[in-house]
Amino acid sequence: MIGSWQDPRRSVCLSCGSFGLTIFLKLARASNNHHHTMSEKLDELQNATVGMIVGVIEVLVLQPINYCKNMTQQKQPISFNPVIMYRGVGANCINMGSCTMVQFVVGGKLKGMVLQGEKRRLTGAEEMVCGMGGGFVSALVGSPLELIMIQQQRKGFSTLKTISDIATPNNIARGFTGSAVREAVWTCGYLSIPPIVRQNLMENYPDTFDTKDKARIPAALLGGLFGCYLSHPFDTIKTCMQGDIERATYGGFMDTAGKIWRNNGGVYGFYRGATFRYGRMVCAVFMMDALRDIISVALYPSAFK
């Protein structure tokens, strides 16, 4: 057991993400010939299906990194026992699967509304606004499910026991504000930034980035950086609130923010666990960007002819 994110054994967690990234780098090559695979080409049901599959795969591969991030934010000891690291993975699969589904559906719908049948690419600003809209709406689903996962990670109770403990009006919406802002920024980071970066790299540096696969790596790095460091303070506030449903330490959103600031050295306190989260986000952005193309084309090839 360890209590500090600075312990060198954190590489065990990050290696899980690296392994997943390597696998999906190979898989992504299958999508190089589909440069216009975007969510606006699919209808709502198709986007929902793709989003659910992508979200569940991402959770199963990267759950250990997410566990380490949550424990670090709450100043709790980290265990490298896989049984403990994967506590709450069922709720997290439902969370990420349903949230990614909502983000794909709402993001795709907003893109369709912006385009209104026009045959053109979305501008960078349009991509970002559509992504943020999808993220904000998804928090309605994701925030309660994350509350279940975090309570399971803290206390080790069964899913049913955890649900019974939190299923009150006072608890079920705990951390929603932080979750909504975080999801809006994060969704923009993985759903909107990578296509913008990829397209610019391939158009402006065609000799270096002559395939979609090559441009995907820097796009994932930038998308993860954007999504992580802009949204992490809100994620820290949300995680601390959801880990303390008894309100022994943390009250509401502003009270929690104030205590994190005062008790953890100012801004630094809001970035506890950022190392783990950025590692996870880079892998997740790459995987989701690649899988969205691969799965969309595999399941609905007629949409891209």
Side-chain angles (χ1 to χ4, degrees), residues 233-274:
F234 299 96
D235 183 69
T236 299
I237 295 169
K238 175 209 72 78
T239 301
C240 289
M241 291 178 66
Q242 292 186 331
D244 182 26
I245 59 171
E246 297 81 11
R247 294 162 175 79
T249 302
Y250 301 110
F253 183 87
M254 295 305 296
D255 176 71
T256 302
K259 287 178 177 175
I260 292 172
W261 177 274
R262 290 191 300 272
N263 300 334
N264 297 277
V267 174
Y268 172 79
F270 292 103
Y271 283 91
R272 290 201 309 263

Side-chain angles (χ1 to χ4, degrees), residues 152-174:
Q152 283 189 281
Q153 290 176 342
R154 284 290 301 267
K155 299 174 182 176
F157 294 151
S158 68
T159 301
L160 290 178
K161 166 65 174 168
T162 303
I163 291 173
S164 69
D165 287 346
I166 67 172
T168 67
N170 199 35
N171 287 332
I172 198 68
R174 187 154 172 81

Side-chain angles (χ1 to χ4, degrees), residues 7 76 108 128 194 207 236 244 285:
D7 192 291
Q76 296 296 308
M128 294 175 71
D207 294 335
T236 299
D244 182 26
V285 168

Side-chain angles (χ1 to χ4, degrees), residues 11-286:
S11 60
V12 174
C13 298
L14 295 178
S15 67
C16 297
S18 299
F19 176 70
L21 185 60
T22 301
I23 292 174
F24 287 104
L25 176 61
K26 294 178 181 179
L27 289 175
R29 289 172 187 153
S31 68
N32 282 340
N33 295 325
H34 303 285
H35 295 290
H36 301 290
T37 304
M38 296 188 230
S39 56
E40 66 266 22
K41 290 180 176 286
L42 304 178
D43 62 30
E44 286 83 354
L45 179 60
Q46 292 169 335
N47 270 316
T49 303
V50 173
M52 177 66 77
I53 294 171
V54 169
V56 169
I57 293 173
E58 185 269 333
V59 166
L60 292 175
V61 174
L62 301 179
Q63 171 74 5
I65 302 178
N66 191 40
Y67 161 81
C68 291
K69 186 272 297 182
N70 287 338
M71 293 298 101
T72 301
Q73 286 176 313
Q74 300 171 78
K75 293 186 175 180
Q76 296 296 308
I78 295 174
S79 170
F80 289 99
N81 181 341
V83 174
I84 295 176
M85 296 182 107
Y86 274 86
R87 277 180 183 167
V89 70
N92 203 21
C93 281
I94 297 172
N95 171 32
M96 282 301 295
S98 57
C99 279
T100 309
M101 175 181 71
V102 171
Q103 289 159 5
F104 276 33
V105 170
V106 176
K109 187 69 174 177
L110 290 174
K111 289 176 182 180
M113 290 171 64
V114 170
L115 289 173
Q116 294 184 334
E118 294 181 55
K119 299 296 183 181
R120 66 173 178 85
R121 287 196 186 96
L122 291 169
T123 65
E126 289 170 341
E127 282 272 11
M128 294 175 71
V129 169
C130 291
M132 293 180 75
F136 187 88
V137 173
S138 73
L140 294 168
V141 177
S143 184
L145 290 168
E146 282 199 0
L147 177 59
I148 295 170
M149 177 191 69
I150 288 172
Q151 283 294 302
Q152 283 189 281
Q153 290 176 342
R154 284 290 301 267
K155 299 174 182 176
F157 294 151
S158 68
T159 301
L160 290 178
K161 166 65 174 168
T162 303
I163 291 173
S164 69
D165 287 346
I166 67 172
T168 67
N170 199 35
N171 287 332
I172 198 68
R174 187 154 172 81
F176 173 76
T177 300
S179 182
V181 177
R182 183 205 63 189
E183 286 301 316
V185 178
W186 153 241
T187 306
C188 183
Y190 91 82
L191 203 59
S192 302
I193 299 298
I196 296 170
V197 174
R198 273 194 283 109
Q199 194 60 44
N200 275 277
L201 290 175
M202 294 178 72
E203 288 180 354
N204 296 320
Y205 306 97
D207 294 335
T208 303
F209 300 101
D210 55 344
T211 68
K212 198 173 186 180
D213 194 29
K214 291 179 181 178
R216 183 170 272 126
I217 295 175
L221 290 170
L222 289 173
L225 186 67
F226 176 94
C228 177
Y229 286 98
L230 288 183
S231 68
H232 196 76
F234 299 96
D235 183 69
T236 299
I237 295 169
K238 175 209 72 78
T239 301
C240 289
M241 291 178 66
Q242 292 186 331
D244 182 26
I245 59 171
E246 297 81 11
R247 294 162 175 79
T249 302
Y250 301 110
F253 183 87
M254 295 305 296
D255 176 71
T256 302
K259 287 178 177 175
I260 292 172
W261 177 274
R262 290 191 300 272
N263 300 334
N264 297 277
V267 174
Y268 172 79
F270 292 103
Y271 283 91
R272 290 201 309 263
T275 302
F276 291 119
R277 188 161 180 251
Y278 180 62
R280 178 197 171 209
M281 278 191 165
V282 170
C283 297
V285 168
F286 182 92

